[in-house]
Amino acid sequence: MRRFLRGRPLLLPPCPRVRPSRWRPSHTWPVSSPGVTNEKMDTAVQESVRVLKGVGPQLAEKLGRLGIEDVADVLFHLPLRYQDRTRCSAIGELRPGTEALIVGRVEASGVRYGRRRSLMTVISDDTGRITMRQFHFSQSQSRGLSRDRFIQCYGEVRSGPAGLEMVHPEYRFLEDREEASVEAALTPVYPTTEGVGQRRWRDLTDQALSLCKGSIPELLKDEYLADFGELSLSDALMLLHRPPPGVDLDTLGRGTHPAERRLAFEEMLAHQLAMRERRQRRDSKSAVPIPLSRELWPRLQEQLGFTLTGAQQRCIDEIGSNLGRATPSLRLLQGDVGCGKTVVAAAAVLAAVEAGQQAVVMAPTELLAEQHLSVLGNWFAQLGLEPVWLSGRMGQRDRQAACARLASGEARIAIGTHALFQDDVAYQQLGLVVVDEQHRFGVAQRLALRDKGQTDGRVPHQLIMSATPIPRSLTMVMYADMDISIIDEMPPGRQPVETVVLPNTRREDVQERIREACARQRRAYWVCPLIEESDVLAAQAATSRAEALKSELPELRIALLHGKIVPAEKDKIMSAFRSGEVDVLVATTVIEVGVDVPEASLMVIENAERLGLSQLHQLRGRVGRGDRQSVCLLMYQAPLGNMAKERLATMRQTTDGFAIAQKDLELRGPGELLGTRQSGAPQFRIADLARDRALLTAVQYTADKLLRDHPDSAAPLVARWVRAGLAFSHA
Ligand code: ADP
Ligand code: MG
């Protein structure tokens, strides 16, 4: 969370967080640990923030917006950065860009009338002089700054027109230069929300620190902490909240100080343990074993018109090894856009049907679900199977009919959106759930899915598909509770998309290119990305671009697609584009995931500098799906920042999703890599998977060792760090 905030204003938006009851040690934990329970361990810190002095309902509500509910949350709310008021700097040694405390004598002060009226006060010591500049000041303030008074200032040093200056520093007058007051510790600056000031934070953390003294037990043995100077949890927290003078400010607050790394390590370890626990819990349940299909699948394969790649076949075998067992499996099928995950899912669905079970395929949007219905429906029809369609937009009567067929078992396959898991949908024998792009589903939807067990208590197998390539180092941590299959090979004949980067000023050339391409029966996407994350503005941008293109390319059929268009209309537009009645589809990023129109071979992305790498990669993946050479034109608005430059260069250099994901991780960190808060990525308080990735191997190793040698500490660690185990539940 801190990493997220760095470099941004201190005010945070409210942060919603799902937080049901705390996770309790389960029966299946390796060694039950009588006498060691959460209740006994972290008692004081588990109290509500209301036990702290000065915290009434209003403040508690504000803290809640930051996700702070108990005393432990206050302890783990670490400063964003630190100010050094422990010593005075000589004015002659100040460097621009740093914050410093200085003491000096007022040499002169006066109002300057420039573009903006300001009060300029020159302050000097034996080593140099600096100007204090104030734009807002009162008469008495200006009068008070009289010559020869001693003054103490704290602020950021900048270079101004007449040498170094501090704009609106904090200052106070001194009787003489000797009695400057320095602080004993660095001053922490906490991330905060409106109405909770830094003084309040210092008070809250003071109270929490003294409350926790002695009551926040050390759960990690020294042997696990060798890399972090064997720093105890209490000492690490103390150091981070109240760093002593002289502490290394180059590492502190940047996540590289041993105290920060130690906390990040403990947190990641706790999450790892939670996931392992979850896997164990799943292994203790039972499921109907599903052998690989010997009849339906071979029949489908004959009719596919293509041969599976080696990677697809391997993934089918891997999935088969799970499905064949009597415990519920959870497997992630990962593969870059266009690698052919759908057909692998089809093999699993057919296995379930052949084993007498029902199977469902769920997609996060209507658009994607319908695409599955059309592709899979076609394939299955050739085998005499007709999937049931279920979406949120169905009429009541159709819905009831669909539900009846699923409940009676007459229908063996269902395809749709999360409507598949609404309360009133019952299955006769649900054996397999396939979820496409699951990171787009919310937590609640994922849980609903898990709860559709069978009447005899058996649990369906789950196959999750994702086109978001995630670097291996991250999968180990994020998906420790799943098995993973990766399709790392594209179907043959695909030509890598050629990527060209060019400034917005070349728009006419781009239009010319579209004109030519469409004259040769090709189709093009023109994407206008989100502007300031507003759907409305993005829709406007796309709308006006569509209008402009219509008038400039009158011979082409141009359609518009954005999030504000009603779903039924959207589907019409998509199928018109698919069937070739539309040449150019102008869209917002709604087309990002999964849309498959093999004839589209030109992708234009305007303002590509605004998009992250993963998003650009997903968008580019909409073309290059057929056997024609495809082109992706990335248009940008100059001047480009360094990050944007690097992103666009990466896009030009590679089409390998994993390489791009790795780069994205380095540039931005995992939260953004994975899209949203719903991404399923663990929401760490302190750790940052990108920054702390060097610790990941140690986390794995330590989890093994701890479960073997000190299993008792696992449950309290999880209870301390993992919010209800839900934040990144794959259920
Ligand atoms: P994704 O993994 O992005 O979901 P799809 O399953 O939509 O990819 O497959 C992309 C396209 O590739 C589809 O048109 C599909 O029929 C085709 N395809 C899949 N596997 C193969 C293969 N082995 N050989 C040729 N084409 C294939
Ligand atoms: Mg797909």
Side-chain angles (χ1 to χ4, degrees), residues 496-623:
V497 180
E498 181 197 339
T499 301
V500 181
V501 177
L502 71 187
N504 277 347
T505 47
R506 300 266 308 274
R507 195 158 55 80
E508 281 181 18
D509 298 343
V510 173
Q511 285 173 200
E512 206 40 52
R513 220 158 160 165
I514 290 192
R515 193 198 304 273
E516 280 167 24
C518 293
R520 287 179 291 132
Q521 318 303 320
R522 310 232 164 150
R523 274 164 245 166
Y525 294 99
W526 185 301
V527 178
C528 305
L530 286 183
I531 294 169
E532 285 155 10
E533 318 247 326
S534 149
D535 277 358
V536 177
L537 289 180
Q540 278 170 9
T543 309
S544 53
R545 174 60 62 224
E547 289 313 313
L549 287 177
K550 272 181 198 161
S551 73
E552 284 162 45
L553 301 170
E555 73 275 29
L556 298 185
R557 295 159 300 174
I558 293 170
L560 173 66
L561 192 72
H562 58 68
K564 299 274 148 201
I565 292 179
V566 297
E569 187 61 23
K570 234 187 247 174
D571 299 341
K572 248 193 239 155
I573 297 168
M574 262 333 282
S575 60
F577 186 58
R578 200 171 290 144
S579 67
E581 292 155 48
V582 163
D583 302 303
V584 183
L585 186 64
V586 179
T588 56
T589 48
V590 293
I591 58 154
E592 186 187 337
V593 166
V595 174
D596 186 29
V597 179
E599 294 79 10
S601 63
L602 191 58
M603 165 65 67
V604 179
I605 304 177
E606 260 190 280
N607 295 114
E609 80 281 359
R610 292 190 178 145
L611 295 175
L613 271 177
S614 303
Q615 222 175 356
L616 287 171
H617 177 65
Q618 288 290 333
L619 286 169
R620 182 170 61 183
R622 300 305 106 219
V623 296

Side-chain angles (χ1 to χ4, degrees), residues 338 341-342 368 371-372 436-437 465 467 594 625:
K341 294 183 287 294
T342 317
L368 274 183
Q371 194 170 286
H372 281 311
D436 199 6
E437 297 297 340
M465 302 195 281
R625 311 194 125 228

Side-chain angles (χ1 to χ4, degrees), residues 86-164:
T86 61
R87 58 188 189 90
C88 292
S89 302
I91 294 177
E93 286 164 11
L94 296 177
R95 279 171 295 132
T98 55
E99 290 184 2
L101 179 68
I102 55 162
V103 172
R105 202 171 47 84
V106 175
E107 270 191 10
S109 183
V111 178
R112 159 93 49 95
Y113 298 88
R115 210 154 35 97
R116 273 179 84 189
R117 198 177 71 118
S118 61
L119 177 63
M120 311 277 281
T121 307
V122 179
I123 298 164
S124 68
D125 66 5
D126 302 337
T127 63
R129 54 166 58 87
I130 186 168
T131 307
M132 167 164 93
R133 186 198 283 267
Q134 288 159 287
F135 295 104
H136 312 282
F137 54 91
S138 63
Q139 280 270 313
S140 68
Q141 268 176 319
S142 121
R143 242 179 287 134
L145 284 160
S146 57
R147 206 181 139 87
D148 286 340
R149 282 192 85 171
F150 284 102
I151 186 171
Q152 165 178 352
C153 305
Y154 182 88
E156 191 189 337
V157 182
R158 308 204 303 204
S159 43
L164 293 182

Side-chain angles (χ1 to χ4, degrees), residues 306-309 312 336-342 491-492 494 596 625:
F306 56 77
T307 321
L308 293 192
T309 61
Q312 284 171 317
D336 213 341
V337 282
C339 71
K341 294 183 287 294
T342 317
R494 292 278 167 81
D596 186 29
R625 311 194 125 228

